[in-house]
Amino acid sequence: MSVIVAKSSSGGPIATLALYGEHPVTPASPVAQGDNSIAIGTGASTETGATNSIALGNQSLARHQGALMFANGQFGSAGDIQVGKYLLRTVTVNGTDTEAYLNGTAGGERLVIPDGSTWTFTATATGHRTDTDDGHAGYRVEGVVYRQAGASTIAFQGTPVKTVLAESDVDWDIGITADTANGSLTVKVTGQTGKTIRWAVLVDTLEVTN
């Protein structure tokens, strides 16, 4: 248990506060392998490439950079049933479809889905123009994506449903594909020429893996 000692205005201690509490009973030690990552809970872990990620709860597993994962047990191995949150971002200055990455504009870190997995996902996107104050948009895409063995086997079950929540210009857009070249759930956004737009995309997932 981590503690902090609060001090009075004169500098003397007045109380000891618990920042968190633990009650471990024969736990499996958490393992944080990714740089600047955190694993909390019995059997929780982060993979080497999952920098700045958080794995929270019993048998949770973070595989991606910046991921926030939650689990409450497993079927057979860590991370085979869990909830994920992933935040992607990019900037557009034209009307070209532009991919959003986990590590930012032109970063290259994609939301790769493991073999033998099915994810139900909701992607919520916000577009915000920064070179002036007259551009704003929000979108939501929901669907089911799966991957069997190998990147080329990734596909959607059915067709994702896109909802335009609001947009200041109909030329702005968001699209999601099952990327068979990279085995990833790929998000691309479209802006306009001469407009600098910052895009944030939050992908919420419910994941089941063999």
Side-chain angles (χ1 to χ4, degrees):
M1 180 174 66
S2 178
V3 298
I4 186 170
V5 178
K7 295 185 177 181
S8 66
S9 58
S10 63
I14 57 175
T16 299
L17 306 176
L19 296 179
Y20 63 88
E22 294 182 349
H23 182 62
V25 179
T26 60
S29 297
V31 179
Q33 300 182 90
D35 290 347
N36 300 315
S37 66
I38 299 171
I40 301 175
T42 183
S45 60
T46 68
E47 293 186 348
T48 303
T51 59
N52 304 306
S53 64
I54 299 174
L56 177 63
N58 180 13
Q59 303 297 331
S60 56
L61 172 62
R63 302 181 177 94
H64 299 85
Q65 176 174 324
L68 173 59
M69 310 305 299
F70 169 73
N72 184 29
Q74 63 180 30
F75 287 116
S77 60
D80 63 7
I81 172 173
Q82 60 183 1
V83 173
K85 281 186 174 291
Y86 308 91
L87 188 59
L88 302 91
R89 66 187 189 276
T90 193
V91 175
T92 59
V93 295
N94 53 40
T96 302
D97 292 348
T98 303
E99 187 170 350
Y101 295 102
L102 292 166
N103 57 340
T105 305
E109 290 292 330
R110 295 181 169 90
L111 192 51
V112 177
I113 296 177
D115 283 349
S117 295
T118 298
W119 291 8
T120 300
F121 68 87
T122 300
T124 306
T126 296
H128 173 72
R129 187 175 177 187
T130 60
D131 58 317
T132 187
D133 60 1
D134 68 345
H136 323 277
Y139 307 88
R140 183 173 60 243
V141 181
E142 299 169 295
V144 177
V145 64
Y146 66 91
R147 174 171 161 171
Q148 295 171 329
S152 64
T153 65
I154 191 171
F156 290 125
Q157 183 67 47
T159 302
V161 177
K162 181 174 69 175
T163 302
V164 179
L165 302 174
E167 57 186 7
S168 56
D169 198 299
V170 295
D171 290 335
W172 296 18
D173 203 3
I174 176 178
I176 293 187
T177 60
D179 184 346
T180 55
N182 298 292
S184 60
L185 187 65
T186 296
V187 180
K188 292 186 177 182
V189 293
T190 307
Q192 284 180 289
T193 298
K195 297 183 178 183
T196 302
I197 304 166
R198 289 180 175 177
W199 294 91
V201 184
L202 175 64
V203 180
D204 291 290
T205 61
L206 181 57
E207 309 174 6
V208 178
T209 303
N210 289 353

